[in-house]
Amino acid sequence: MNLPLALALGALRSPFRRPGRNVPVGTGRWRLVERDAGIDPGRLAAYARVCGFPVPGPVPLPYPHVLGFPLTMRLLAARDFPLPLLGLVHTRIAVTRHRALLPDERFRLTVRVDALTPHRRGTEVTVSTEAHVAGEPVWESRSAYLARHRTAGAPPREPAPPAAPLPARATWHLAPDLGRRYAGVSGDRNPIHLHPLTARPFGFPRPIAHGMWTFARCLAELSPPQVTHVEAEFMAPVPLPATVTYAADGGRFALRGDGAGRPYLTGAATSAARP
């Protein structure tokens, strides 16, 4: 099944999904494998340009997520998957690089659903993506997606104490067509990112930037080659066009509204992998 067909089927099935109580996930229940995956040099270069990575240059840390995206969409659009594809919100991501992935390497790409868990605002699904070369792990990520729906008795989350704002390092002016440009290199053509007319039915007066673009753009600015583990939380959508502030201190980084505006993304990078 190709990506456009998976997205279309997921959209058609979404109105009939009624998420509720937690659904146990057995090992391998939702899992897909591409046994001989590779990187297209032209697409890699186009992605790097849109996200601010050097061209030519090494494979950007977040790029395997893009390669696994079609498999992720096929899983989330599967006939027996209980959550609606439309409306899923990417809330968190953690990426670990065990070693650099070379542009000309072949690798096995595995995507699986690890868990469906109750959330104070609905149900959260955790999706893992892994790349292996000759049986050895090279790269992995864990993403959380939220399906919002009414809940009964979900405990409220304790508010975190406010952290001191990170110092501003750069100001970026995001063009109105950024969502369409990133969609062209990533394959993620969710209508909320493309045009005001396609975003409005989902409650957005303007298109919003892809969360994975904001994540990648921050990493391109941070850009230390020794980083092996990054975690980020998507706090709020970025409307397009927009002027945003990139802030960082050490391995911590953030994207917020211009100046001291609302936080859109917060994250931290380290040079040692975590379990």
Side-chain angles (χ1 to χ4, degrees):
M1 183 191 303
N2 60 31
L3 179 56
L5 179 57
L7 292 172
L9 287 176
L12 290 172
R13 291 168 178 161
S14 288
F16 304 100
R17 305 282 168 85
R18 294 292 183 266
R21 57 186 296 182
N22 183 37
V23 180
V25 179
T27 301
R29 181 173 179 180
W30 291 293
R31 178 176 179 270
L32 288 172
V33 179
E34 185 176 349
R35 299 188 182 280
D36 187 31
I39 295 175
D40 177 83
R43 186 182 177 195
L44 174 63
Y47 170 89
R49 291 188 187 97
V50 169
C51 297
F53 292 99
V55 180
V59 176
L61 182 62
Y63 189 65
H65 180 92
V66 171
L67 302 179
F69 181 73
L71 298 181
T72 301
M73 291 299 99
R74 286 172 57 189
L75 288 179
L76 302 184
R79 185 182 300 275
D80 62 340
F81 189 71
L83 303 181
L85 180 62
L86 289 183
L88 278 180
V89 179
H90 198 178
T91 56
R92 298 191 310 277
I93 187 168
V95 174
T96 300
R97 175 171 54 192
H98 299 285
R99 72 157 174 83
L101 182 64
L102 303 178
D104 58 351
E105 281 188 302
R106 309 299 297 183
F107 49 92
R108 187 180 78 234
L109 199 59
T110 303
V111 179
R112 68 177 183 274
V113 172
D114 283 340
L116 288 161
T117 53
H119 186 278
R120 61 192 175 89
R121 292 182 178 175
T123 301
E124 192 172 69
V125 54
T126 302
V127 179
S128 289
T129 303
E130 298 174 351
H132 287 75
V133 175
E136 295 296 324
V138 173
W139 183 98
E140 62 184 278
S141 73
R142 284 172 62 86
S143 283
Y145 300 89
L146 176 64
R148 296 181 179 179
H149 58 82
R150 297 183 64 180
T151 61
R157 185 176 65 176
E158 289 293 330
L166 298 174
R169 303 296 185 187
T171 298
W172 301 331
H173 303 286
L174 310 186
D177 67 342
L178 175 62
R180 294 191 292 275
R181 290 192 289 119
Y182 184 78
V185 301
S186 69
D188 184 353
R189 292 181 171 83
N190 187 320
I192 63 176
H193 302 302
L194 304 181
H195 192 275
L197 293 178
T198 58
R200 284 175 193 146
F202 299 94
F204 298 101
R206 291 184 282 166
I208 62 174
H210 294 73
M212 284 303 297
W213 180 87
T214 64
F215 179 63
R217 184 66 187 88
C218 288
L219 290 182
E221 194 76 11
L222 190 66
S223 72
Q226 70 272 20
V227 165
T228 57
H229 182 83
V230 185
E231 297 184 9
E233 182 174 358
F234 303 106
M235 311 290 289
V238 181
L240 297 174
T243 299
V244 298
T245 297
Y246 167 77
D249 184 21
R252 297 168 57 219
F253 59 91
L255 191 69
R256 60 183 185 240
D258 193 22
R262 68 183 302 187
Y264 295 126
L265 174 150
T266 61
T270 64
S271 57
R274 296 177 181 174

PDB file of all heavy atoms in Angstrom, residues 100-114:
ATOM      1  N   ALA A 100      26.381   6.754  13.105  1.00  0.00           N
ATOM      2  CA  ALA A 100      25.945   7.501  11.927  1.00  0.00           C
ATOM      3  C   ALA A 100      25.436   6.552  10.846  1.00  0.00           C
ATOM      4  O   ALA A 100      26.060   5.523  10.557  1.00  0.00           O
ATOM      5  CB  ALA A 100      27.095   8.343  11.384  1.00  0.00           C
ATOM      6  N   LEU A 101      24.292   6.878  10.275  1.00  0.00           N
ATOM      7  CA  LEU A 101      23.760   6.144   9.134  1.00  0.00           C
ATOM      8  C   LEU A 101      24.343   6.754   7.869  1.00  0.00           C
ATOM      9  O   LEU A 101      24.247   7.970   7.647  1.00  0.00           O
ATOM     10  CB  LEU A 101      22.244   6.235   9.110  1.00  0.00           C
ATOM     11  CG  LEU A 101      21.514   5.472   8.007  1.00  0.00           C
ATOM     12  CD1 LEU A 101      21.739   3.963   8.158  1.00  0.00           C
ATOM     13  CD2 LEU A 101      20.016   5.783   8.051  1.00  0.00           C
ATOM     14  N   LEU A 102      24.967   5.928   7.034  1.00  0.00           N
ATOM     15  CA  LEU A 102      25.614   6.430   5.826  1.00  0.00           C
ATOM     16  C   LEU A 102      24.601   6.539   4.686  1.00  0.00           C
ATOM     17  O   LEU A 102      23.697   5.703   4.559  1.00  0.00           O
ATOM     18  CB  LEU A 102      26.761   5.504   5.420  1.00  0.00           C
ATOM     19  CG  LEU A 102      27.834   5.278   6.500  1.00  0.00           C
ATOM     20  CD1 LEU A 102      28.900   4.312   6.004  1.00  0.00           C
ATOM     21  CD2 LEU A 102      28.437   6.604   6.942  1.00  0.00           C
ATOM     22  N   PRO A 103      24.739   7.548   3.828  1.00  0.00           N
ATOM     23  CA  PRO A 103      23.740   7.766   2.778  1.00  0.00           C
ATOM     24  C   PRO A 103      23.576   6.592   1.814  1.00  0.00           C
ATOM     25  O   PRO A 103      22.499   6.415   1.241  1.00  0.00           O
ATOM     26  CB  PRO A 103      24.263   9.011   2.042  1.00  0.00           C
ATOM     27  CG  PRO A 103      25.116   9.716   3.034  1.00  0.00           C
ATOM     28  CD  PRO A 103      25.749   8.633   3.857  1.00  0.00           C
ATOM     29  N   ASP A 104      24.645   5.789   1.606  1.00  0.00           N
ATOM     30  CA  ASP A 104      24.551   4.703   0.633  1.00  0.00           C
ATOM     31  C   ASP A 104      24.304   3.337   1.281  1.00  0.00           C
ATOM     32  O   ASP A 104      24.361   2.311   0.599  1.00  0.00           O
ATOM     33  CB  ASP A 104      25.821   4.644  -0.217  1.00  0.00           C
ATOM     34  CG  ASP A 104      27.080   4.450   0.625  1.00  0.00           C
ATOM     35  OD1 ASP A 104      26.984   4.534   1.873  1.00  0.00           O
ATOM     36  OD2 ASP A 104      28.152   4.221   0.040  1.00  0.00           O
ATOM     37  N   GLU A 105      24.018   3.298   2.584  1.00  0.00           N
ATOM     38  CA  GLU A 105      23.781   2.026   3.257  1.00  0.00           C
ATOM     39  C   GLU A 105      22.373   1.504   2.996  1.00  0.00           C
ATOM     40  O   GLU A 105      21.425   2.273   2.841  1.00  0.00           O
ATOM     41  CB  GLU A 105      23.976   2.170   4.772  1.00  0.00           C
ATOM     42  CG  GLU A 105      25.414   2.158   5.208  1.00  0.00           C
ATOM     43  CD  GLU A 105      25.546   2.109   6.717  1.00  0.00           C
ATOM     44  OE1 GLU A 105      25.027   3.009   7.394  1.00  0.00           O
ATOM     45  OE2 GLU A 105      26.192   1.169   7.218  1.00  0.00           O
ATOM     46  N   ARG A 106      22.244   0.170   2.978  1.00  0.00           N
ATOM     47  CA  ARG A 106      20.943  -0.474   2.987  1.00  0.00           C
ATOM     48  C   ARG A 106      20.661  -0.919   4.422  1.00  0.00           C
ATOM     49  O   ARG A 106      21.575  -1.311   5.145  1.00  0.00           O
ATOM     50  CB  ARG A 106      20.910  -1.684   2.056  1.00  0.00           C
ATOM     51  CG  ARG A 106      21.398  -1.421   0.643  1.00  0.00           C
ATOM     52  CD  ARG A 106      20.573  -0.374  -0.078  1.00  0.00           C
ATOM     53  NE  ARG A 106      19.192  -0.786  -0.270  1.00  0.00           N
ATOM     54  CZ  ARG A 106      18.295  -0.048  -0.936  1.00  0.00           C
ATOM     55  NH1 ARG A 106      18.645   1.150  -1.426  1.00  0.00           N
ATOM     56  NH2 ARG A 106      17.061  -0.477  -1.083  1.00  0.00           N
ATOM     57  N   PHE A 107      19.409  -0.863   4.823  1.00  0.00           N
ATOM     58  CA  PHE A 107      19.080  -1.167   6.202  1.00  0.00           C
ATOM     59  C   PHE A 107      17.663  -1.704   6.300  1.00  0.00           C
ATOM     60  O   PHE A 107      16.844  -1.552   5.374  1.00  0.00           O
ATOM     61  CB  PHE A 107      19.234   0.079   7.086  1.00  0.00           C
ATOM     62  CG  PHE A 107      18.566   1.314   6.540  1.00  0.00           C
ATOM     63  CD1 PHE A 107      17.273   1.641   6.870  1.00  0.00           C
ATOM     64  CD2 PHE A 107      19.257   2.153   5.657  1.00  0.00           C
ATOM     65  CE1 PHE A 107      16.658   2.773   6.366  1.00  0.00           C
ATOM     66  CE2 PHE A 107      18.656   3.282   5.141  1.00  0.00           C
ATOM     67  CZ  PHE A 107      17.355   3.592   5.495  1.00  0.00           C
ATOM     68  N   ARG A 108      17.392  -2.359   7.418  1.00  0.00           N
ATOM     69  CA  ARG A 108      16.041  -2.839   7.698  1.00  0.00           C
ATOM     70  C   ARG A 108      15.328  -1.814   8.555  1.00  0.00           C
ATOM     71  O   ARG A 108      15.854  -1.375   9.575  1.00  0.00           O
ATOM     72  CB  ARG A 108      16.067  -4.190   8.433  1.00  0.00           C
ATOM     73  CG  ARG A 108      14.673  -4.804   8.600  1.00  0.00           C
ATOM     74  CD  ARG A 108      14.709  -6.126   9.332  1.00  0.00           C
ATOM     75  NE  ARG A 108      14.871  -5.927  10.766  1.00  0.00           N
ATOM     76  CZ  ARG A 108      15.808  -6.484  11.491  1.00  0.00           C
ATOM     77  NH1 ARG A 108      16.722  -7.260  10.939  1.00  0.00           N
ATOM     78  NH2 ARG A 108      15.874  -6.266  12.801  1.00  0.00           N
ATOM     79  N   LEU A 109      14.137  -1.439   8.137  1.00  0.00           N
ATOM     80  CA  LEU A 109      13.360  -0.420   8.829  1.00  0.00           C
ATOM     81  C   LEU A 109      12.127  -1.095   9.430  1.00  0.00           C
ATOM     82  O   LEU A 109      11.357  -1.760   8.722  1.00  0.00           O
ATOM     83  CB  LEU A 109      12.944   0.664   7.833  1.00  0.00           C
ATOM     84  CG  LEU A 109      12.507   2.030   8.357  1.00  0.00           C
ATOM     85  CD1 LEU A 109      13.614   2.685   9.174  1.00  0.00           C
ATOM     86  CD2 LEU A 109      12.114   2.923   7.190  1.00  0.00           C
ATOM     87  N   THR A 110      11.958  -0.960  10.729  1.00  0.00           N
ATOM     88  CA  THR A 110      10.836  -1.573  11.436  1.00  0.00           C
ATOM     89  C   THR A 110      10.049  -0.499  12.164  1.00  0.00           C
ATOM     90  O   THR A 110      10.625   0.348  12.857  1.00  0.00           O
ATOM     91  CB  THR A 110      11.331  -2.605  12.467  1.00  0.00           C
ATOM     92  OG1 THR A 110      12.120  -3.593  11.814  1.00  0.00           O
ATOM     93  CG2 THR A 110      10.155  -3.273  13.168  1.00  0.00           C
ATOM     94  N   VAL A 111       8.727  -0.523  12.005  1.00  0.00           N
ATOM     95  CA  VAL A 111       7.836   0.386  12.715  1.00  0.00           C
ATOM     96  C   VAL A 111       6.792  -0.449  13.436  1.00  0.00           C
ATOM     97  O   VAL A 111       6.207  -1.362  12.849  1.00  0.00           O
ATOM     98  CB  VAL A 111       7.159   1.390  11.756  1.00  0.00           C
ATOM     99  CG1 VAL A 111       6.211   2.307  12.527  1.00  0.00           C
ATOM    100  CG2 VAL A 111       8.197   2.219  11.012  1.00  0.00           C
ATOM    101  N   ARG A 112       6.555  -0.141  14.694  1.00  0.00           N
ATOM    102  CA  ARG A 112       5.559  -0.913  15.453  1.00  0.00           C
ATOM    103  C   ARG A 112       4.846  -0.001  16.452  1.00  0.00           C
ATOM    104  O   ARG A 112       5.389   1.013  16.892  1.00  0.00           O
ATOM    105  CB  ARG A 112       6.213  -2.072  16.190  1.00  0.00           C
ATOM    106  CG  ARG A 112       7.136  -1.663  17.314  1.00  0.00           C
ATOM    107  CD  ARG A 112       7.717  -2.847  18.081  1.00  0.00           C
ATOM    108  NE  ARG A 112       8.538  -2.398  19.203  1.00  0.00           N
ATOM    109  CZ  ARG A 112       9.825  -2.084  19.121  1.00  0.00           C
ATOM    110  NH1 ARG A 112      10.462  -2.208  17.961  1.00  0.00           N
ATOM    111  NH2 ARG A 112      10.473  -1.663  20.180  1.00  0.00           N
ATOM    112  N   VAL A 113       3.639  -0.396  16.805  1.00  0.00           N
ATOM    113  CA  VAL A 113       2.896   0.253  17.878  1.00  0.00           C
ATOM    114  C   VAL A 113       3.263  -0.444  19.172  1.00  0.00           C
ATOM    115  O   VAL A 113       3.079  -1.652  19.315  1.00  0.00           O
ATOM    116  CB  VAL A 113       1.382   0.178  17.629  1.00  0.00           C
ATOM    117  CG1 VAL A 113       0.607   0.686  18.836  1.00  0.00           C
ATOM    118  CG2 VAL A 113       1.010   0.971  16.380  1.00  0.00           C
ATOM    119  N   ASP A 114       3.803   0.317  20.115  1.00  0.00           N
ATOM    120  CA  ASP A 114       4.231  -0.254  21.386  1.00  0.00           C
ATOM    121  C   ASP A 114       3.148  -0.242  22.444  1.00  0.00           C
ATOM    122  O   ASP A 114       3.091  -1.133  23.292  1.00  0.00           O
ATOM    123  CB  ASP A 114       5.445   0.512  21.926  1.00  0.00           C
ATOM    124  CG  ASP A 114       6.737   0.135  21.224  1.00  0.00           C
ATOM    125  OD1 ASP A 114       6.779  -0.949  20.615  1.00  0.00           O
ATOM    126  OD2 ASP A 114       7.695   0.927  21.262  1.00  0.00           O
TER     127      ASP A 114
END
